[in-house]
Amino acid sequence: MNSTVSAPSATAGLDAWLCYLEALHPTEIDLGLSRVQQVKERLNIDPGKAQVLTVAGTNGKGSTVRYLESILRAAGYRTGAYISPHIYRYEERVRLHGALASADDFVRAFAAIEQARGDISLTYFEFGTLAAFWLLQRSELDVWILEVGLGGRLDAVNCLAADVAMVTSVGIDHIGFLGSDRNGIAAEKAGVFRAGKGAVIGEPDFPKQVLSELQTKGIEPQCVGHQFNYQQTSADHWTFTGRRSQLQALPMPQLPLPNAATALMALELLNLPVTEQAIREGLVKAAEPGRLQYVAGNPDYLLDVAHNPHAAAFLVEHLRNRFGSRPIYAVLGMLKDKDIAGTLEQLKPAVSAWYLADLEGPRGASAKELASALGEVTNQQPPLSYPCVTDAFRSACDAARESQQQPLVLVCGSFYTVAKIPNAE
């Protein structure tokens, strides 16, 4: 614990509390459940009669949470959702009955946790996770929907046992914490599963070794391609086949289709009835800022937080399916601890012009570093480089307006990159 910082007062603003949280623990990431478990017990955190859905995975967590929330709300249930990270402001991390928690809500939660933790040091994420639980518990909810921050087994969210847990995908990311092979990463993410509880795997190539290990623990996951399936049947429709349901001509959602199927399988396992009408309504309404977010204008642009090769490959497939042969002008900013070269290699076939930007902060990669990585994977003309994302975005938009080919401006590479766009023009 950093003893040189003092806790804000209970009447201090949210910004003061967030600064305090950032300085409180010696490291930003410190995986383990012992600290958060102790404080959870001191706070008497308990979902009670509410059912808990937990979503883990390399990519697709946020959109899966949004699908679950949207469908359950359409079915008339009282929902609370916890996600991370936020894009524009911290309040995005908790939604209660579909609305963002307020800054004052978070301040009250932080003050309660500060009082309860005593001399137990908490990371920024652990403090925020407990605050989310504190707020959810006081909101008279039917369902808690929780997004894992990193991994699963040792993530703070996993101090609550889920009634139904999901692993959306398994890719190589956070290798410093989860390892560099898919078996190890899949095992960490599968740590959210509990024997006798619902388990769903939306990763079509989930490691067989880990599946075998789960079965020895009494966990029988529902796997895509086996216990449930989905298929896009036209530009506007798709089908879902689960253990108990077969849904035809479902409306194509805005968010990734694989995650919609994972959500529907989880809802089959949940002990709450959901009508087909609620499913259809929820699919249509589900949208998440910064995830395949299309903005029509002059020019049109697409925001997506894809920041690893797995997510980039899915993004390229989406671009081809939705935008065909339109030129893509890519505005890119990334963190230096990501697989930059691997991500760019996936994006390369779809991109016509690159607008690379420095990303501020100690973890941010420079445009020069991005250009160096790009040079290893492409034979295109040298990319353009900019000192900030907003400058890169403006330049790409100007070039797109001058073109006769109606280019689409794509902004991707990081949550931090997408967060810069609303004030760009």
Side-chain angles (χ1 to χ4, degrees):
M1 174 181 175
N2 187 344
S3 58
T4 64
V5 294
S6 299
S9 69
T11 58
L14 178 58
D15 287 345
W17 274 97
L18 293 177
C19 289
Y20 172 65
L21 267 54
E22 290 174 346
L24 183 63
H25 198 73
T27 58
E28 180 182 0
I29 299 174
D30 189 3
L31 295 177
L33 299 181
S34 60
R35 297 181 306 276
V36 71
Q37 186 73 40
Q38 290 179 67
V39 182
K40 177 180 77 74
E41 291 172 358
R42 293 182 184 182
L43 290 164
N44 295 314
I45 298 293
D46 186 348
K49 295 181 179 180
Q51 297 193 50
V52 177
L53 293 164
T54 296
V55 185
T58 303
N59 299 300
K61 298 188 294 289
S63 56
T64 303
V65 167
R66 183 66 80 168
Y67 280 128
L68 292 165
E69 180 186 26
S70 183
I71 293 170
L72 287 166
R73 283 182 52 77
Y77 295 111
R78 300 168 298 178
T79 66
Y82 171 51
I83 66 167
S84 66
H86 60 277
I87 296 181
Y88 303 116
R89 55 195 178 107
Y90 191 87
E91 294 94 311
E92 296 168 24
R93 294 188 178 219
V94 174
R95 296 190 293 267
L96 305 169
H97 306 284
L100 298 185
S102 70
D104 288 342
D105 289 334
F106 277 105
V107 167
R108 284 192 291 271
F110 290 152
I113 294 161
E114 177 64 19
Q115 183 176 14
R117 73 177 182 86
D119 61 355
I120 299 174
S121 180
L122 297 171
T123 67
Y124 180 92
F125 180 75
E126 290 168 341
F127 220 114
T129 298
L130 288 168
F133 292 170
W134 192 89
L135 292 169
L136 294 173
Q137 185 172 356
R138 283 154 180 76
S139 300
E140 298 183 358
L141 303 171
D142 299 310
V143 186
W144 295 18
I145 310 169
L146 310 175
E147 177 184 346
V148 167
L150 192 158
R153 181 176 65 92
L154 297 177
D155 187 86
V157 168
N158 201 36
C159 72
L160 286 181
D163 294 286
V164 181
M166 289 142 274
V167 173
T168 58
S169 62
V170 177
I172 305 297
D173 202 5
H174 299 295
I175 59 176
F177 299 96
L178 304 180
S180 58
D181 66 278
R182 295 186 79 251
N183 276 331
I185 293 172
E188 287 296 318
K189 295 184 184 301
V192 296
F193 297 144
R194 302 291 199 280
K197 299 292 187 178
V200 180
I201 294 176
E203 166 61 62
D205 189 29
F206 197 82
K208 292 182 173 58
Q209 175 184 323
V210 182
L211 282 175
S212 178
E213 293 170 356
L214 290 174
Q215 291 170 354
T216 65
K217 298 176 182 178
I219 298 169
E220 295 289 342
Q222 310 298 298
C223 300
V224 67
H226 298 277
Q227 288 80 19
F228 71 102
N229 291 278
Y230 68 97
Q231 182 179 8
Q232 183 172 345
T233 55
S234 70
D236 300 318
H237 296 100
W238 64 290
T239 63
F240 171 82
T241 303
R243 296 296 295 267
R244 302 195 306 265
S245 62
Q246 185 167 2
L247 305 174
Q248 303 286 339
L250 291 170
M252 280 296 294
Q254 171 188 314
L255 299 172
L257 185 56
N259 303 326
T262 299
L264 292 188
M265 186 65 244
L267 291 173
E268 274 202 13
L269 301 180
L270 196 64
N271 189 28
L272 292 172
V274 176
T275 66
E276 182 174 338
Q277 178 58 36
I279 290 172
R280 293 178 179 277
E281 180 181 339
L283 288 170
V284 171
K285 291 183 177 180
E288 187 76 357
R291 277 109 171 162
L292 301 180
Q293 182 183 357
Y294 174 72
V295 181
N298 182 26
D300 302 336
Y301 60 93
L302 185 78
L303 307 177
D304 194 81
V305 296
H307 55 269
N308 55 47
H310 185 278
F314 182 88
L315 174 58
V316 167
E317 181 182 2
H318 177 81
L319 291 171
R320 287 171 174 164
N321 290 339
R322 183 170 180 183
F323 300 103
S325 59
R326 286 181 67 177
I328 304 298
Y329 291 1
V331 175
L332 184 78
M334 293 190 69
L335 298 177
K336 63 178 63 176
D337 54 7
K338 299 300 180 181
D339 182 358
I340 294 174
T343 302
L344 292 174
E345 187 171 10
Q346 294 296 328
L347 291 171
K348 176 187 66 174
V351 175
S352 302
W354 297 91
Y355 297 78
L356 308 180
D358 294 347
L359 205 56
E360 61 188 29
R363 294 173 63 201
S366 68
K368 183 178 180 180
E369 289 171 310
L370 297 179
S372 176
L374 186 62
E376 298 174 6
V377 298
T378 181
N379 294 319
Q380 295 176 349
Q381 293 298 315
L384 299 174
S385 298
Y386 299 87
C388 65
V389 172
T390 52
D391 285 353
F393 180 68
R394 290 192 184 102
S395 181
C397 288
D398 288 343
R401 292 187 192 99
E402 295 173 0
S403 173
Q404 302 298 314
Q405 298 178 294
Q406 293 187 312
L408 175 77
V409 174
L410 168 68
V411 182
C412 65
S414 173
F415 284 84
Y416 299 102
T417 306
V418 170
K420 301 295 183 181
I421 299 307
N423 297 321
E425 294 191 315

